[in-house]
C-alpha cells in the first residue's frame, strides 16, 4: 500500500500534471487565462509526444490523429491563422485531443495505467479545497456560461469530481472488485455526489451519478453494454434521441415526472433548441463552425444542449463521424486485458454519454475516460 502514497517527480509526472491542467484548468483568474493555461500546457504535452513519437505509436493511434486533423481543418477553415486568438482556437482542440489520448498511453506503456491515475488523483486532491471554498463563497450559481468556481461552472465541477472518483477507482480496483466495504464506499461517494449536484442545481450531475449506480448494481444492463459496438452505438443514439424529444415529452408519465422535478420548462425549451439547431447546422454541414464557436449562443443564447450535436456544430458531420469511429476503435477490444479497469472506466464514460442526450458532455472529460479505456486495453498493466 505504501507505493500508493509515494510518487517520484519524473518527466512523466510533470507531463501528466500539464495534461491535468489541459483537462481541468483553473478558472479563478478568468476564462481567457484558463484558455491560455490550457493552450500552453497542451503545447508542452505535444512536445513530449513528438519526443516519444515512433511508428509503433502511430499504428496504435492513427485514428486519433485523423480526428484531431479534422477538427484542426474545421477551425482553420473558419478562423484562419492571422491572430493569436485564431491560432489558439485552431490548435487548442487538436492539441488537447492528442495530449489526452497519447500522453496516458505513452506513460502507461512505461509505468502502468495506475501511474496516470495516481497523478490525476493527487492533482484532484490539490484542487479539492479551493473548489469547495469557492463553492461555499459563491453559493449556487445556476448559470452554465459563468465560471464562479475554482474549476469553472457547476458542470465542470461535476466532471472534475467524476474524474477524481474514476482515478481513485483505478488505483483501488482490486478492492472494489473483491470487498463489499469498498463497494459500499463507492455507493456512498455517488450518493454524496448526487446530494452535492442537487445543491448546485446540476441535474446533469444527478443523472451522471445515477447512471453510475445503475450500471454498477443492475448487471443485466451491464451485460448489454459489454457488446463490442455498444459505446459507438450509444454515442450515436445520444445524438439521435433529441430529434424525437417532442414525442418523448408527450408521454404523460414522462411529462408528469419532469413537472415533479421542475424540469418540464427546461426540456420543452431544449426541444425548440434542437429544431433551430438543424437550421444552424445545414449551412456548414460538413466541417462545422470550428472549435469553441459562439454561433449557437449568439442565435439562441444557449449551447447545443446535446453532446453529439455540439460536435456537429463545431466540426460538422465529418468530425462527428470520425469521433464515432474513434469511439469504436478505442473500445472494440476493450475486454482483451485489464478487464476490471476497463469496466470501471466504461461506467463513467457511459454516464457522460447518457447525460450527453441533454447536455454538451462530449469534451475533454469524455475524451479522458475514453483514453483511459484505450490505455487499459492496449497496454499490459505493470505490477
Amino acid at each position: 500500500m505504501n507505493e500508493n502514497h509515494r510518487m517520484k517527480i519524473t518527466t512523466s509526472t510533470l507531463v501528466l500534471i500539464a495534461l491535468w491542467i489541459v483537462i481541468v484548468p483553473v478558472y479563478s483568474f478568468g476564462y481567457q487565462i484558463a484558455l491560455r493555461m490550457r493552450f500552453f500546457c497542451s503545447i508542452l504535452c505535444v512536445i513530449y509526444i513528438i519526443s516519444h513519437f515512433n511508428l509503433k505509436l502511430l499504428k496504435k493511434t492513427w485514428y486519433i490523429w485523423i480526428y484531431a486533423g479534422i477538427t484542426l481543418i474545421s477551425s482553420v477553415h473558419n478562423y484562419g491563422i492571422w491572430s493569436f486568438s485564431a491560432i489558439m482556437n485552431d490548435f487548442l482542440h487538436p492539441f488537447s485531443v492528442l495530449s489526452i489520448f497519447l500522453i496516458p498511453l505513452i506513460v502507461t506503456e512505461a509505468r502502468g495505467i495506475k501511474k496516470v491515475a495516481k497523478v490525476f488523483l493527487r492533482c484532484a486532491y490539490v484542487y479539492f479545497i479551493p473548489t469547495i471554498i469557492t463553492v461555499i463563497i459563491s453559493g449556487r450559481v445556476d448559470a452554465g456560461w459563468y465560471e464562479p468556481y475554482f474549476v469553472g461552472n457547476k458542470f465542470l465541477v461535476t466532471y472534475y469530481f467524476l474524474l477524481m472518483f474514476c482515478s481513485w477507482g483505478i488505483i483501488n480496483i482490486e478492492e472494489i472488485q473483491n470487498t463489499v466495504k469498498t463497494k459500499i464506499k463507492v455507493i456512498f461517494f455517488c450518493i454524496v455526489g448526487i446530494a452535492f449536484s442537487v445543491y448546485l442545481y446540476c441535474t446533469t450531475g444527478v443523472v451522471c451519478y445515477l447512471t453510475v449506480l445503475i450500471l454498477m448494481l443492475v448487471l443485466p444492463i451491464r451485460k448489454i453494454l459489454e457488446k463490442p459496438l455498444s459505446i459507438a452505438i450509444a454515442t450515436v443514439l445520444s445524438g439521435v434521441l433529441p430529434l424525437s424529444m417532442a414525442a418523448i415529452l408527450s408521454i404523460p408519465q414522462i411529462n408528469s415526472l419532469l413537472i415533479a422535478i421542475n424540469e418540464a420548462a427546461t426540456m420543452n425549451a431544449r426541444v425548440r433548441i434542437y429544431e433551430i439547431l438543424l437550421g444552424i447546422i445545414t449551412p456548414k454541414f460538413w466541417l462545422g463552425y470550428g472549435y469553441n464557436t459562439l454561433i449557437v449562443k449568439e442565435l439562441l443564447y444557449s449551447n447545443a444542449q446535446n453532446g453529439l450535436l455540439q460536435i456537429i456544430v463545431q466540426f460538422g458531420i465529418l468530425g462527428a463521424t470520425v469521433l464515432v469511429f474513434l469511439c469504436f476503435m478505442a473500445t472494440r477490444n476493450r475486454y482483451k486485458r485489464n478487464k476490471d479497469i476497463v469496466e470501471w472506466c466504461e461506467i463513467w464514460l457511459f454516464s457522460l454519454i447518457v447525460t450527453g442526450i441533454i447536455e454538451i458532455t462530449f469534451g475533454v472529460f469524455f475524451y479522458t475516460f475514453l483514453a483511459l479505456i484505450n490505455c487499459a486495453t492496449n497496454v499490459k498493466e505493470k505490477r
Side-chain angles (χ1 to χ4, degrees), residues 287-345:
L287 285 174
Y289 292 84
Y291 175 65
N292 221 14
T293 177
L294 298 176
I295 183 68
V296 178
K297 185 176 182 180
E298 291 170 354
L299 296 178
L300 295 175
Y301 200 61
S302 177
N303 56 50
Q305 299 292 304
N306 177 271
L308 194 61
L309 292 180
Q310 178 74 2
I311 293 293
I312 294 174
V313 169
Q314 292 183 107
F315 309 123
I317 197 67
L318 286 177
T321 301
V322 177
L323 175 61
V324 172
F325 180 68
L326 187 157
C327 291
F328 167 70
M329 292 296 293
T331 62
R332 67 194 188 282
N333 297 316
R334 62 187 185 279
Y335 296 120
K336 188 166 59 176
R337 56 172 68 99
N338 296 318
K339 185 174 184 290
D340 291 343
I341 292 177
V342 168
E343 286 183 339
W344 173 255
C345 296

Side-chain angles (χ1 to χ4, degrees), residues 229-235 327 331 334 346 349-350 353 370 373:
L229 286 170
S230 61
I231 290 178
I233 291 174
T235 302
C327 291
T331 62
R334 62 187 185 279
E346 185 181 65
L349 176 65
F350 267 114
I353 293 175
L370 196 58
I373 293 173

Side-chain angles (χ1 to χ4, degrees), residues 39-51:
F39 187 49
F40 174 73
C41 288
S42 71
I43 292 172
L44 295 179
C45 289
V46 169
I47 291 172
Y48 183 84
I49 291 169
I50 292 172
S51 71

Side-chain angles (χ1 to χ4, degrees), residues 168-240:
W168 173 85
I170 292 173
I171 296 169
N172 297 280
I173 193 65
E174 289 84 6
E175 290 86 349
I176 292 173
Q177 294 297 322
N178 299 318
T179 66
V180 175
K181 181 180 178 181
T182 310
K183 285 186 174 72
I184 293 173
K185 190 181 293 186
V186 173
I187 294 171
F188 174 75
F189 284 160
C190 289
I191 293 172
V192 171
I194 290 171
F196 190 68
S197 298
V198 170
Y199 171 77
L200 291 177
Y201 294 132
C202 187
T203 306
T204 301
V206 174
V207 175
C208 280
Y209 289 112
L210 285 176
T211 302
V212 169
L213 285 175
I214 290 169
L215 292 178
M216 280 186 59
L217 301 175
V218 185
L219 293 181
I221 296 179
R222 284 286 304 126
K223 293 297 180 183
I224 294 173
L225 298 181
E226 287 178 359
K227 304 298 181 183
L229 286 170
S230 61
I231 290 178
I233 291 174
T235 302
V236 173
L237 288 178
S238 71
V240 172

